[in-house]
Amino acid sequence: MPILPDTWIRRMATENGMITPFADRQHREGIISYGLSSYGYDARVADEFKVFTNVDNALVDPKRFDDTGFVSRKGETCIIPPNSFVLGHTIEYFRIPRDVLVICLGKSTYARCGLIVNVTPLEPEWEGQVTIEISNTTPLPARIYANEGICQFLFLRGEEPPEVSYADRKGKYMGQRGVALPRL
């Protein structure tokens, strides 16, 4: 399963709309970098956030998810409470080819501050804005920046296309825009 280079990512983004909007180079001056890299794409987090809070004593249950455990925020930055997390979403909309699996990794700038992005796959033929979970593992409040890099996506080509893709099975997160909360 080879990792795909910048030339392939650029071609698929510009000719097939695999990533929109697409930054064809790394943007990094005075910001947390985003855009095309050698073997990946650094995506940006949008300015809409759902901050986890326990004000209403909500119970986290993925089968009966109650969104009262979140407070919605919009802005250029977001403060993540100590030992908590926030949900955001990428600015970019992804359309994954049938023979490709994409892996999301956190950026080292945030990791070095104790902020961890959940590793998640983008399955073959999935499309949408990616919901990103950012955990603050520290005992201090932490700030993240909207419209700047939050994670990197690596593109891996399978030996052959899968028998059943995410689109074929009509996956529940297909075509999502904004923050998508857990669904059954």
Side-chain angles (χ1 to χ4, degrees), residues 92-110:
E92 294 84 356
Y93 189 95
F94 291 82
R95 292 171 184 86
I96 307 306
R98 188 172 183 92
D99 62 345
V100 172
L101 176 73
V102 181
I103 304 294
C104 174
L105 302 172
K107 292 192 60 75
S108 63
T109 299
Y110 279 126

Side-chain angles (χ1 to χ4, degrees), residues 137-153:
T137 66
T138 76
L140 304 171
R143 182 185 319 268
I144 59 172
Y145 294 87
N147 303 306
E148 296 188 21
I150 194 68
C151 61
Q152 183 178 58
F153 292 97

Side-chain angles (χ1 to χ4, degrees), residues 43-152:
R44 296 167 287 172
V45 66
D47 65 356
E48 300 172 274
F49 304 96
K50 292 203 178 282
V51 181
F52 183 71
T53 177
N54 198 22
V55 171
D56 294 326
N57 291 322
L59 173 67
V60 178
D61 182 343
K63 289 188 174 184
R64 291 179 191 84
F65 194 78
D66 179 2
D67 67 359
T68 61
F70 288 101
V71 175
S72 294
R73 295 284 186 259
K74 186 172 176 73
E76 289 302 307
T77 66
C78 180
I79 304 297
I80 306 173
N83 302 307
S84 191
F85 71 95
V86 65
L87 296 178
H89 67 85
T90 58
I91 290 174
E92 294 84 356
Y93 189 95
F94 291 82
R95 292 171 184 86
I96 307 306
R98 188 172 183 92
D99 62 345
V100 172
L101 176 73
V102 181
I103 304 294
C104 174
L105 302 172
K107 292 192 60 75
S108 63
T109 299
Y110 279 126
R112 292 165 199 238
C113 297
L115 297 172
I116 307 301
V117 171
N118 184 50
V119 175
T120 189
L122 307 184
E123 294 191 42
E125 290 194 321
W126 176 83
E127 72 172 67
Q129 288 176 319
V130 181
T131 295
I132 303 288
E133 184 259 334
I134 307 120
S135 295
N136 177 1
T137 66
T138 76
L140 304 171
R143 182 185 319 268
I144 59 172
Y145 294 87
N147 303 306
E148 296 188 21
I150 194 68
C151 61
Q152 183 178 58

